[in-house]
Amino acid sequence: ERPKDEGKVTPFYKGGSGGIKATISIEEAIAIAKKEVPGEVVEAEYERGRYEIKILKDGKITDGRITEIYVDAKDGSIKRK
């Protein structure tokens, strides 16, 4: 079970012998992802020690391109596009 902090769920970073708290918030992960791919965030979720951020590139619905960016929940590094 994830601990709650003032109504917000604080995700765990799972690694090593046990889980530790993520050091990057979902808001920070979104900001990191938007620097990498400008556009409108359509989905953001925490999963397996990373945040998965889906961005509609340049905010244009017409081209229909959604880019997935994975941000490490511990150090904020981009894991994969």
Side-chain angles (χ1 to χ4, degrees):
E1 186 175 317
R2 296 177 182 161
K4 292 189 178 186
D5 179 24
E6 297 179 15
K8 292 183 179 180
V9 174
T10 303
F12 278 91
Y13 174 79
K14 297 189 187 222
S17 61
I20 59 171
K21 279 188 179 181
T23 57
I24 303 296
S25 71
I26 194 161
E27 292 84 5
E28 291 169 315
I30 289 169
I32 291 166
K34 286 182 78 172
K35 284 182 184 176
E36 189 75 16
V37 177
E40 179 184 341
V41 174
V42 294
E43 186 178 337
E45 65 181 348
Y46 178 82
E47 184 177 284
R48 292 177 274 184
R50 66 184 185 185
Y51 294 102
E52 179 182 336
I53 314 294
K54 294 182 181 178
I55 298 176
L56 185 60
K57 194 171 181 179
D58 299 322
K60 296 178 184 174
I61 295 173
T62 55
D63 66 6
R65 295 191 62 131
I66 292 180
T67 302
E68 292 181 2
I69 301 288
Y70 298 94
V71 179
D72 187 281
K74 187 173 182 182
D75 63 17
S77 64
I78 302 290
K79 294 311 232 180
R80 181 177 66 172
K81 288 190 210 177

